[in-house]
Amino acid sequence: MKLSLMLLTAAAVAGSLVTVVTGDDRERHVVPADIVGQRQSRIPVLTAQVDAEAIAEQIRTSRLVQTVSDGPVGMPPESTADVAQAQTLGPETPPVSTSSPPKTVTTADTSSPAAGKAGQPDLSALRYFAAQGDTARLQAEIARLKSLYPNWTPPADPLAVPVNGDQKLEAMWELYSQGRYAEVRRAISDRQTAEAGWQPPADLLERLDVAEARTRLVNASNLKQYATVIGIGAATPSLLNCSDVDVLWRVAEAFIETERVQRGIDAYTYILKSCTDTAQRIATIQKAETLLSYGDLQSLLALEKSGPDGAREFDPLRDDLARRFVADANEKPELTIAPEYIERLRRLAEQGQQAADSLLLGWYYVRQKDMTEAEKWFRISRQKEDTASASQGLALALIARNASAEAEDVMYRWRDDSEEAGATYLASTANLLAGDPPPTVPEPVLQRVATTVLEKHYVPTAQQLGWYARAFGQWQTAARWFETALQWKPDDEPSAYGLVITRQQLNDQAGVAEIQRAWAGRSERIARLGMLTNRTVVSAQGQQAVAAQPYRPVMPQDRPVERQAYVEQTAPAPIARAAAPAKSTRRSGCSVTDTVSSLSPDQANMRGWCLMDLNRPMEAVDAFEIALKSPSRNVREDAAYGQSLAYLRLGLTKSAAVAATKSPQRPERSSELQLAILANRALSAFDSKRYREAIVYLDQRAMLQPEPTDLMVLRGYALMKLGVLGDARRLFEAVAATGNSDGSKGLADIYELQNPRH
């Protein structure tokens, strides 16, 4: 048995209809504009002004009328929010309760044997639902009639209610029970035309009004027209009760999405205080959990009920809630969550096999600056599943306790997994070389560190390689590393200081004077540096140079990471101080050795496209950046386009999107870039196992251009990963029909998934 209660009032807001063309919050699918138009045309816009605050206040203060009802049958206790919603509701299902205030009946068909007399209910619907065996609607109808007629006693046998001899009216009830409301309206109109003076029962009209209102509310909710949802709920209070809890969920969502969070909490609170169906109560917490913050959810969790055995009804949700709350704390370090959730997640991580639980704890302790605990949980996570995120977290913890050699080893295989992973690896390399005294780094490790630094143009490690070479008396190598760091970052004073004292060591007076002139007024220690003997440099100034660089862990966020062309050598080649001007031809412009900073914007643009032809996109990025300074609009447009393509070739989608905005593009180029960026984002999301996000990007791209075969295959695999095998199979079949082998392979993969080999 469950309680079916009537919420007497509902809050509403007035305003224009806002259409958000996305689906469920957890699966945001883009709806084409023409389809949205078709849907929207069938949903009337409410224009009546409603006092939102006054009505919302009544939610908390109104006296609720409570009646007992069995409610919908067949609800399994393990149902989730979606299952509870699907079994109880749906566009094709009429509302199971229309608890309305008593009205004066003036249009009832008194020819019906079940028609109510003065002060007596109309039992025709009751008998009809009983005859149909519709237990859910029968119980809801009993609840409704008892709310209207408190002194009424339901008949022991509803089937004993006199049969309505009006076969046409019976046919109307049949259509109503099937959710065919438009046909009911048409049948009523046809009969009124054919039979002058005939009026339908008020109960039937009232039920139709409520059923149609519910359909409009559900459609508006699906289209994210939240103002309309609230308006319909306010105009049809009989919808807001425990017999149709999905409507209450939708109204709560509408309040939250229109920045009336407390009103949404009130709606959820009403359900938890008034409705007794366990599946619906659990589903309510699941619904609220996707929309409310940690703090707001606590007031709802406090309404939990305990069974006779002391078991709490929300216990099945607490593992997932613990994961959600710890994740919230990871995103907002200032958020303090109850220790019980931390302890629950610790137990899950210790007893379970999910690496994700240990990973969550690791990042939680990083945010709390407890690196000892963080290291423990990252190690546990890597033992279960070695991932880039677990390795990155462990590397950060190791860097914090000066174990940079292990951090470098942990992150090396993941250095190209993402920009963040690359930044963490490079931070570990800088800290590895910055020890005092300098550590002895194995030759293979030193080789791969140097190679990666040259590829990424990472200044901190290039500078540290200079100091490291000095510590072992490799003066020429040290000079080349300092020069390289300055080429990448001309204002890096520590590298300039390292270079000037190294040139002293090499007795390069002209080189020392050049640096002193360049840094005049910017570095006192470079300006006051005098020519020293080799012995003095080795014994005094060399030590001063190293000591001037106190050890500090370099974290990934300290320096931007740039993807650069791969250079396979331990130390960079000497850098020419005076380079010849670039040649004007496009191809020959790539062969010169001068820096792009010395080129004119037009020359840099030609250099950029030449480098793209040679598949050296990172160098092309720098060239196009210079070209963007051109006074010519055409050159700037060409450079922005080229730089965006270069970033796309490197897989840096965000950078590509930014580059595309640096100069207005022609429509055809803008469309081309947008299509490429969306495709890259879909691929990146798929590679990161964010399959729903990949489908969102594919949907956005499909609105601009028909989907090519390779992206159809990608969509098919994303759907397969999400368990939507039917849709995935149809896509693979369509691709296979074109003769594409990827479609056949997709079908084979689905077959293998459904028929695993033992």
Side-chain angles (χ1 to χ4, degrees):
M1 302 289 286
K2 71 171 186 179
L3 295 180
S4 175
L5 296 125
M6 178 183 67
L7 182 61
L8 298 181
T9 55
V13 294
S16 60
L17 186 66
V18 178
T19 301
V20 179
V21 289
T22 56
D24 187 353
D25 284 345
R26 290 166 293 177
E27 297 185 30
R28 297 184 178 270
H29 296 286
V30 176
V31 181
D34 58 335
I35 296 178
V36 173
Q38 295 170 12
R39 291 180 181 175
Q40 190 170 351
S41 65
R42 296 195 291 268
I43 301 174
V45 182
L46 297 184
T47 57
Q49 297 295 317
V50 183
D51 187 344
E53 295 301 318
I55 297 178
E57 181 63 22
Q58 295 179 39
I59 290 179
R60 297 190 298 274
T61 60
S62 62
R63 175 175 172 271
L64 303 178
V65 180
Q66 178 173 319
T67 57
V68 178
S69 167
D70 285 338
V73 294
M75 181 74 70
E78 69 275 13
S79 297
T80 62
D82 291 335
V83 174
Q85 175 179 338
Q87 291 186 330
T88 314
L89 309 155
E92 74 285 355
T93 305
V96 297
S97 174
T98 56
S99 303
S100 306
K103 296 182 180 180
T104 301
V105 179
T106 59
T107 60
D109 182 1
T110 56
S111 65
S112 170
K117 300 178 182 178
Q120 294 298 318
D122 181 344
L123 304 182
S124 57
L126 188 70
R127 186 207 59 76
Y128 179 81
F129 292 141
Q132 296 295 315
D134 194 337
T135 305
R137 286 192 177 88
L138 175 63
Q139 296 299 333
E141 177 67 4
I142 291 174
R144 186 185 75 87
L145 293 175
K146 289 190 69 174
S147 69
L148 294 174
Y149 305 94
N151 297 323
W152 174 72
T153 301
D157 181 8
L159 291 175
V161 174
V163 176
N164 189 346
D166 190 334
Q167 295 302 316
K168 292 182 179 180
L169 184 58
E170 285 291 299
M172 294 177 192
W173 280 111
E174 174 70 21
L175 292 171
Y176 168 82
S177 70
Q178 297 172 5
R180 296 157 65 181
Y181 310 127
E183 294 181 46
V184 177
R185 293 284 188 191
R186 187 162 54 250
I188 290 173
S189 177
D190 290 346
R191 185 167 181 180
Q192 286 179 323
T193 301
E195 300 178 23
W198 182 84
Q199 293 294 332
D203 185 52
L204 178 58
L205 292 177
E206 181 183 337
R207 282 178 167 277
L208 275 175
D209 289 341
V210 173
E212 291 166 344
R214 184 188 186 282
T215 299
R216 294 196 305 273
L217 185 146
V218 170
N219 287 340
S221 175
N222 290 339
L223 291 175
K224 309 301 180 187
Q225 297 169 340
Y226 298 117
T228 301
V229 172
I230 297 173
I232 294 173
T236 320
S238 59
L239 282 174
L240 307 177
N241 56 72
C242 293
S243 294
D244 201 349
V245 73
D246 180 63
V247 171
L248 291 170
W249 290 336
R250 292 174 184 273
V251 170
E253 178 190 22
F255 274 128
I256 294 169
E257 295 292 348
T258 53
E259 300 182 359
R260 289 170 170 78
V261 176
Q262 186 55 50
R263 305 308 185 216
I265 295 173
D266 290 341
Y268 289 132
T269 300
Y270 166 75
I271 297 172
L272 295 175
K273 285 186 175 180
S274 308
C275 306
T276 59
D277 183 276
T278 302
Q280 290 181 349
R281 293 170 60 80
I282 291 176
T284 297
I285 294 297
Q286 290 177 301
K287 288 283 186 180
E289 185 263 341
T290 65
L291 296 171
L292 296 178
S293 66
Y294 166 81
D296 291 333
L297 277 170
Q298 301 314 301
S299 63
L300 300 181
L301 292 171
L303 300 174
E304 181 178 31
K305 295 179 180 179
S306 298
D309 58 352
R312 298 183 297 178
E313 62 179 335
F314 298 152
D315 275 349
L317 303 178
R318 279 192 162 76
D319 289 352
D320 287 338
L321 288 174
R323 295 180 177 108
R324 146 78 197 275
F325 295 154
V326 172
D328 285 352
N330 288 350
E331 294 180 4
K332 301 177 180 179
E334 70 278 6
L335 175 63
T336 301
I337 63 176
E340 67 174 286
Y341 296 115
I342 303 297
E343 290 305 313
R344 179 175 285 269
L345 189 57
R346 288 175 69 97
R347 288 195 299 272
L348 288 171
E350 290 169 349
Q351 300 169 8
Q353 296 301 315
Q354 293 190 36
D357 292 336
S358 307
L359 189 60
L360 267 177
L361 281 171
W363 286 114
Y364 172 78
Y365 285 112
V366 167
R367 301 297 187 266
Q368 301 300 314
K369 304 186 186 306
D370 186 344
M371 289 301 189
T372 301
E373 277 294 298
E375 180 178 343
K376 166 188 171 182
W377 292 108
F378 284 130
R379 287 190 185 278
I380 292 174
S381 181
R382 289 184 81 239
Q383 289 172 359
K384 296 175 181 177
E385 183 182 2
D386 188 4
T387 63
S389 182
S391 298
Q392 183 180 351
L394 177 59
L396 291 175
L398 291 169
I399 290 172
R401 69 172 178 87
N402 300 343
S404 299
E406 184 181 358
E408 188 276 339
D409 183 63
V410 164
M411 280 305 297
Y412 179 70
R413 64 169 290 200
W414 299 106
R415 67 193 185 283
D416 292 325
D417 184 77
S418 66
E419 291 186 25
E420 293 79 8
T424 303
Y425 174 72
L426 290 168
S428 72
T429 64
N431 286 282
L432 170 64
L433 299 168
D436 186 14
T440 301
V441 181
E443 183 64 27
V445 174
L446 195 62
Q447 176 72 31
R448 73 189 189 190
V449 167
T451 300
T452 305
V453 168
L454 288 167
E455 177 187 350
K456 308 293 186 182
H457 282 204
Y458 190 63
V459 173
T461 303
Q463 180 199 128
Q464 290 299 336
L465 281 166
W467 295 114
Y468 189 81
R470 279 185 56 82
F472 290 93
Q474 299 175 1
W475 315 114
Q476 293 286 358
T477 298
R480 293 208 302 272
W481 278 115
F482 288 132
E483 288 172 339
T484 300
L486 285 170
Q487 182 189 31
W488 296 339
K489 191 174 188 295
D491 62 348
D492 188 51
E493 194 271 351
S495 293
Y497 183 71
L499 179 58
V500 74
I501 64 173
T502 303
R503 285 182 177 175
Q504 274 190 333
Q505 175 69 39
L506 296 170
N507 200 26
D508 182 359
Q509 298 183 30
V512 170
E514 177 189 24
I515 296 175
Q516 287 182 316
R517 284 194 301 272
W519 285 87
R522 293 192 291 163
S523 173
E524 184 177 354
R525 63 177 177 172
I526 290 177
R528 294 194 306 178
L529 189 68
M531 291 298 295
L532 305 176
T533 64
N534 288 347
R535 186 168 183 271
T536 304
V537 170
V538 172
S539 61
Q541 191 59 53
Q543 295 298 321
Q544 176 186 351
V546 175
Q549 307 302 318
Y551 175 79
R552 179 180 70 86
V554 180
M555 302 311 259
Q557 62 269 24
D558 292 345
R559 300 276 185 174
V561 181
E562 297 179 357
R563 293 180 176 268
Q564 300 291 349
Y566 182 85
V567 182
E568 192 173 358
Q569 55 189 41
T570 301
I575 300 170
R577 296 183 189 170
K583 297 180 181 180
S584 59
T585 62
R586 179 167 171 172
R587 174 64 70 176
S588 61
C590 298
S591 62
V592 296
T593 59
D594 58 342
T595 62
V596 293
S597 59
S598 65
L599 301 178
S600 70
D602 287 352
Q603 291 171 327
N605 191 42
M606 288 190 292
R607 170 76 69 86
W609 286 109
C610 179
L611 291 168
M612 287 291 285
D613 290 342
L614 295 176
N615 199 27
R616 292 158 61 183
M618 197 62 244
E619 294 174 82
V621 166
D622 295 335
F624 287 129
E625 190 65 32
I626 298 296
L628 282 166
K629 300 175 183 178
S630 172
S632 168
R633 177 179 176 178
N634 290 338
V635 173
R636 292 196 306 272
E637 177 187 334
D638 202 42
Y641 177 66
Q643 191 177 66
S644 185
L645 292 178
Y647 278 126
L648 285 172
R649 191 173 296 181
L650 290 164
L652 302 178
T653 309
K654 292 182 180 178
S655 299
V658 172
T661 66
K662 291 183 178 180
S663 181
Q665 299 291 317
R666 296 192 296 274
E668 59 273 17
R669 278 187 172 181
S670 178
S671 177
E672 176 190 345
L673 289 174
Q674 190 174 3
L675 289 169
I677 288 169
L678 288 171
N680 272 28
R681 285 176 173 168
L683 288 166
S684 177
F686 184 92
D687 290 341
S688 301
K689 299 182 180 180
R690 303 192 307 274
Y691 304 117
R692 287 189 176 87
E693 187 177 332
I695 290 175
V696 169
Y697 289 131
L698 290 174
D699 285 342
Q700 291 175 349
R701 188 191 180 284
M703 293 178 67
L704 303 175
Q705 186 183 80
E707 202 159 79
T709 302
D710 57 335
L711 293 184
M712 289 176 66
V713 172
L714 181 69
R715 182 190 290 273
Y717 276 104
L719 290 168
M720 189 174 77
K721 293 292 186 181
L722 292 171
V724 190
L725 299 184
D727 290 350
R729 182 183 293 104
R730 283 189 287 274
L731 273 173
F732 288 139
E733 287 172 347
V735 173
T738 68
N740 189 303
S741 60
D742 289 337
S744 300
K745 183 180 183 301
L747 291 172
D749 290 341
I750 290 180
Y751 178 84
E752 183 67 24
L753 183 65
Q754 294 179 321
N755 302 277
R757 298 175 182 175
H758 297 288

